[in-house]
């Protein structure tokens, strides 16, 4: 069975049914003709319907239990984070919360306002490049506009993954003041991942990369046309 972990239940159920269907076709091809006739005469339509119903029931039940367990784990980690005084423990628990609840920002409120400060500290001072990138992405998830100036600075980080996630965080925050910097990244950064994230950010802001160039071309056309007419 496909294990569910808070994802799309419908896709998981269809995947399981497809696996069962393919296995059934394979087994059917291996059966002798006499056995096939026996199978055709049996109540297999009822069995098939019952099997589909059972698969759906198991998938939904596992999903519900998985979500309940995740909420319990979230509350435990949020409590540990709020009470932690050790910076290493703060870092581990903060990144865990973000990694597991980035699609549910409202749950992150359980960690309190301290979460923003810890993520900012990781972004600005942590020697681990990957964790700086995770913090940059996380600050975008939190949606706090105070992060904008710090993410702008992070777009100059030497590590491309940090620059990419900082750019995407600015897009999440719809930081219009970052548009010029995002265009620079989208056009000039040597790393393709950074350029791609910057383009995504510009689209989130509502000013995709091509918009400015089109405007400039139209302006130049208008200028030359006006000059000719004059």
């Amino acid at each position: 069975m496909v294990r569910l972990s808070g994802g799309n239940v419908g896709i998981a159920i269809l995947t399981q049914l497809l696996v069962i269907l393919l296995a059934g076709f394979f087994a059917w091809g291996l059966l002798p003709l006499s056995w096939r006739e026996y199978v055709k005469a049996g109540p297999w339509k009822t069995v098939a319907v019952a099997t589909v119903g059972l698969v759906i029931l198991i998938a939904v039940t596992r999903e519900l239990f998985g979500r309940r367990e995740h909420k319990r784990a979230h509350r435990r980690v949020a409590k540990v984070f709020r009470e932690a005084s050790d910076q290493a423990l703060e870092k581990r628990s903060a990144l865990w919360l973000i990694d597991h609840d980035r699609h549910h920002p409202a749950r992150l409120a359980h960690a309190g306002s301290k979460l923003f400060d810890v993520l900012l500290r990781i972004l600005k001072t942590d020697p681990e490049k990957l964790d700086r990138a995770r913090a940059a992405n996380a600050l975008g998830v939190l949606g706090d506009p105070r992060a904008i100036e710090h993410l702008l600075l992070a777009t100059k980080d030497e590590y491309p993954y940090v620059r990419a996630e900082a750019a995407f965080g600015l897009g999440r925050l719809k930081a219009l003041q970052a548009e010029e910097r995002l265009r620079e990244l989208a056009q000039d950064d040597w790393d393709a991942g950074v350029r791609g994230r910057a383009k995504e950010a510009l689209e989130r802001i509502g000013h995709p990369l091509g918009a400015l160039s089109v405007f400039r071309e139209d302006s130049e056309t208008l200028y030359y046309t006006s000059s000719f007419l004059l």
Side-chain angles (χ1 to χ4, degrees):
M1 285 266 182
V2 176
R3 183 173 179 81
L4 301 179
S5 57
N8 189 305
V9 184
I11 293 177
I13 292 173
L14 289 175
T15 302
Q16 293 173 353
L17 292 176
L18 181 60
V19 170
I20 293 172
L21 185 62
L22 291 175
F25 276 120
F26 178 75
W28 180 261
L30 298 177
L31 290 176
L33 290 177
S34 58
W35 287 30
R36 293 184 189 182
E37 293 300 324
Y38 172 76
V39 170
K40 288 179 181 179
W44 301 110
K45 290 184 178 179
T46 303
V47 173
V49 172
T51 301
V52 170
L54 183 62
V55 169
I56 293 174
L57 179 62
I58 292 173
V60 171
T61 302
R62 292 180 68 185
E63 172 70 7
L64 292 175
F65 275 108
R67 289 184 179 182
R68 187 176 68 178
E69 289 303 313
H70 175 75
K71 287 181 180 179
R72 288 178 177 174
H74 171 88
R75 286 194 291 268
R76 289 195 296 269
V77 176
K79 184 174 184 295
V80 169
F81 173 76
R82 290 194 303 270
E83 298 175 355
S85 56
D86 177 69
Q87 288 192 354
L89 182 57
E90 287 178 340
K91 171 185 170 179
R92 289 199 302 273
S93 52
L95 293 177
W96 187 96
L97 289 168
I98 287 294
D99 289 344
H100 288 78
D101 284 312
R102 66 176 62 257
H103 300 301
H104 305 282
R107 295 181 188 172
L108 297 175
H110 296 159
S113 58
K114 177 182 176 182
L115 184 58
F116 177 88
D117 297 329
V118 171
L119 291 171
L120 189 59
R121 185 184 73 220
I122 296 171
L123 176 66
K124 296 174 71 173
T125 65
D126 200 279
E128 182 57 47
K129 298 178 289 188
L130 181 59
D131 290 341
R132 293 204 307 276
R134 292 165 70 191
N137 184 287
L139 286 168
V141 171
L142 289 183
D144 191 325
R146 291 179 298 166
I148 292 175
E149 61 177 304
H150 304 289
L151 290 174
L152 274 169
L153 288 174
T155 61
K156 299 179 181 179
D157 194 282
E158 62 178 355
Y159 187 49
Y161 192 35
V162 176
R163 298 199 302 275
E165 292 307 304
F168 193 66
L170 290 167
R172 282 181 180 272
L173 293 168
K174 300 190 184 302
L176 290 173
Q177 60 268 53
E179 181 180 355
E180 182 178 353
R181 176 58 182 156
L182 289 172
R183 289 188 180 278
E184 290 176 3
L185 292 172
Q187 294 173 323
D188 303 329
D189 197 279
W190 62 266
D191 185 82
V194 177
R195 295 196 301 272
R197 279 302 210 185
K199 290 176 184 176
E200 290 182 63
L202 287 167
E203 290 172 2
R204 282 177 173 265
I205 290 173
H207 296 168
L209 181 62
L212 186 60
S213 59
V214 170
F215 174 76
R216 284 175 175 170
E217 289 174 4
D218 289 345
S219 299
E220 290 173 0
T221 301
L222 179 62
Y223 172 77
Y224 288 121
T225 302
S226 301
S227 300
F228 176 77
L229 291 174
L230 291 174

